[in-house]
Amino acid sequence: MIDHRTLRVALLGAGSVGSQVARLLREHGDDFAERSGARLELAGILVRDLDAPRDVDLPRELLTTDAESLIVGADIVIELMGGIEPARTHILTALNSGADVVTGNKALLAQHGPEIFDAADQVGASVSYEAAVAGAIPIIRPLKDSLAGDRIVRIFGIVNGSTNFILDKMDREGLSAEDAQRLATDLGYLEADPTLDLEGYDAAQKAAILASLAFHTEVSMDDVHREGIESITADMIEGARRAGFVIKLLAICERLADAEGEAISVRVYPALISREHPLATVHGGNNAVFVESEAAGPLMFYGAGAGGVQTASAVLGDVVSAARRHIAGGVGVGESARQSLPTAEIGRISTRYQITLEVSDEQGVLAVIAGILNDGGVSAATVEQTVDDEGTARIVIGTHTAREQALGDTVARLAESDVVVRVASVLRVEGE
Ligand code: NDP
Ligand code: HSE
């Protein structure tokens, strides 16, 4: 039996993820020692309430509310508290006292990533965060290490499980948005503040992290164009289905190279995806991320985007790596922001669109609409008109690829036109 060196591990948080990390660390101590070259001693667990019920039985003597004493003296600090403060302060304290940090805190990294990575660089420590994006799915390490020799062009996928669950229930079981959201709430899928999921903040945080890594550029939440699923109705889901599409909340990070020069676009919005596309088959709370790079071509990563034990897997992978680094010595590999590419406004992207209009059922309406599209430089690929029992005419226009700025201006002109009663929806078509 090898006499392994012991590393002190401080765990901040014993909630859904933290309690599973504590359980697995304690249950598989020998395995972790073999894999990392160090015996990982769980020195203590920071909580708010010592008496709160826990998902896992944890020895009472490990729980503490004294952050400072726990963090100072630890070799590895695992932050699974969530939120900005005091998590930020604790991570900075840990780094400044020489510990490596593992975190799943996407909100913190999307807001204060550069400060935290700079602090790690100053002391040569590492900050690992595989759990911060797409739960159990290994996506950070592939971007940071496996694809380090390649040039990433585009990342495109579903990174929020709860909104995928809601949209999937609406699509496959015909639930209303309210019923699907209620079910997601009852199953504990939504964040404590559900607007983080529903309004796309959670996905935008993850997109900022992915784009920073992929494009070697500091990308913050302010750089991400964000739209949530609040406006998606059962009617829109049904309309999408009839046209051969499904609606998914997508995070897209891509390089742009046009007349205005090189830039990146980072955006989150609900979009139409062909039912033939692999992302259309991502059901329930799962996540899937496509990475397209120049040499490797398209790669797909798929699996559980959340869940206590699933996310603990990603955390513990980082812990083993941090332990190996601690044992081997040397400095942690920092984040690269050497490219500093500018972020493009949403008006600069180009994609296809589907515009649904309610119009007066009169002669000449189509000609007026065609004229507005033509003046705006937007070309229609498909036009379908239906008239319902109440005599309301509905026109669904599928466009060829158009620039978002031109599309937005054209939709504004359509909305002002006398023949258009209402612009019912405008959805982007992605994945083609
Ligand atoms: P929980 O809310 O379930 O747990 C948070 C834990 O942190 C609790 O044990 C809580 O203590 C403790 N805590 C919070 N604030 C303080 C404080 N001020 N002082 C001391 N202790 C505190 O969070 P999760 O486990 O769900 O998430 C942890 C992190 O992992 C978050 O950053 C989250 O975004 C991320 N993540 C979570 C996923 C998931 O599926 N849950 C998936 C991917 C990432 P107490 O129990 O006493 O209240
Ligand atoms: N609220 C997040 C989601 C949890 O629904 O994907 C995992 O980050």
Side-chain angles (χ1 to χ4, degrees):
M1 183 81 175
I2 303 166
D3 188 14
H4 291 110
R5 188 179 144 189
T6 297
L7 296 180
R8 285 172 63 81
V9 176
L11 176 59
L12 316 183
S16 309
V17 186
S19 60
Q20 296 298 334
V21 166
R23 177 179 70 79
L24 293 169
L25 266 179
R26 285 162 47 77
E27 283 179 8
H28 302 298
D30 290 342
D31 291 339
F32 285 119
E34 292 306 322
R35 289 173 208 165
S36 67
R39 186 149 286 283
L40 304 179
E41 178 202 327
L42 185 54
I45 309 173
L46 181 73
V47 292
R48 249 180 319 219
D49 178 357
L50 295 171
D51 299 315
R54 308 265 158 219
D55 295 348
V56 166
D57 277 338
L58 298 170
R60 171 74 189 217
E61 63 275 16
L62 280 181
L63 302 182
T64 178
T65 55
D66 180 353
E68 188 78 12
S69 309
L70 177 60
I71 293 168
V72 176
D75 298 298
I76 298 172
V77 173
I78 309 172
E79 185 277 306
L80 292 168
M81 305 163 65
I84 305 299
E85 287 293 358
R88 171 183 156 275
T89 301
H90 292 339
I91 286 179
L92 293 174
T93 305
L95 292 170
N96 289 328
S97 58
D100 286 299
V101 167
V102 174
T103 177
N105 196 330
K106 60 230 164 187
L108 180 63
L109 293 176
Q111 199 170 319
H112 293 285
E115 180 191 19
I116 288 168
F117 299 132
D118 280 353
D121 282 349
Q122 298 290 325
V123 295
S126 68
V127 178
S128 321
Y129 50 95
E130 187 61 71
V133 180
I137 304 172
I139 183 69
I140 300 298
R141 202 177 304 269
L143 290 176
K144 198 170 173 178
D145 296 335
S146 322
L147 292 166
D150 207 338
R151 188 171 185 268
I152 292 163
V153 179
R154 196 165 196 253
I155 298 176
F156 167 77
I158 297 165
V159 294
N160 182 271
S162 48
T163 49
N164 196 59
F165 174 87
I166 291 169
L167 294 173
D168 193 42
K169 283 283 168 193
M170 292 170 75
D171 179 63
R172 295 208 296 165
E173 296 178 26
L175 263 58
S176 67
E178 296 73 27
D179 285 349
Q181 192 178 316
R182 201 169 303 118
L183 188 56
T185 307
D186 292 347
L187 291 170
Y189 281 15
L190 287 158
E191 299 276 337
D193 173 2
T195 58
L196 292 175
D197 292 313
L198 301 174
E199 296 182 12
Y201 289 97
D202 175 87
Q205 289 162 356
K206 293 166 178 167
I209 293 170
L210 292 176
S212 301
L213 263 180
F215 305 131
H216 309 282
T217 292
E218 283 176 10
V219 180
S220 79
M221 280 293 279
D222 294 341
D223 300 313
V224 184
H225 174 87
R226 175 189 54 78
E227 296 169 36
I229 65 162
E230 320 89 281
S231 60
I232 304 298
T233 61
D235 265 1
M236 288 160 78
I237 299 267
E238 185 47 35
R241 163 181 290 283
R242 278 200 306 270
F245 294 112
V246 59
I247 298 179
K248 296 286 188 189
L249 183 70
L250 298 180
I252 302 173
C253 317
E254 69 182 349
R255 283 182 197 271
L256 302 180
D258 56 20
E260 291 172 53
E262 200 182 2
I264 55 171
S265 165
V266 190
R267 51 197 203 262
V268 166
Y269 46 57
L272 296 166
I273 290 274
S274 162
R275 297 190 91 84
E276 307 294 315
H277 193 281
L279 284 185
T281 63
V282 176
H283 298 304
N286 283 319
N287 285 187
V289 183
F290 276 95
V291 178
E292 293 168 26
S293 63
E294 279 183 357
L299 304 167
M300 184 173 175
F301 300 81
Y302 169 80
V309 72
Q310 294 87 344
T311 306
S313 160
V315 172
L316 288 164
D318 280 347
V319 171
V320 169
S321 296
R324 286 178 185 152
R325 191 201 79 76
H326 226 88
I327 295 295
V331 294
V333 180
E335 302 299 304
S336 145
R338 66 192 148 69
Q339 287 201 339
S340 298
L341 292 167
T343 311
E345 293 294 323
I346 187 74
R348 220 170 128 184
I349 69 157
S350 293
T351 188
R352 293 208 304 116
Y353 298 83
Q354 191 192 71
I355 308 166
T356 304
L357 305 172
E358 278 173 21
V359 298
S360 14
D361 186 18
E362 292 163 14
Q363 195 179 349
V365 165
L366 271 178
V368 173
I369 290 171
I372 294 172
L373 291 176
N374 193 43
D375 291 347
V378 174
S379 163
T382 57
V383 179
E384 190 191 311
Q385 176 167 349
T386 50
V387 181
D388 68 18
D389 295 344
E390 280 109 49
T392 306
R394 190 172 259 258
I395 295 182
V396 180
I397 303 160
T399 76
H400 285 293
T401 298
R403 201 167 150 114
E404 177 101 2
Q405 184 68 54
L407 192 282
D409 294 346
T410 304
V411 169
R413 261 178 253 128
L414 286 169
E416 284 163 10
S417 156
D418 291 343
V419 302
V420 174
V421 176
R422 188 171 78 94
V423 178
S425 67
V426 180
L427 284 165
R428 301 169 184 93
V429 182
E430 294 285 359
E432 302 194 311

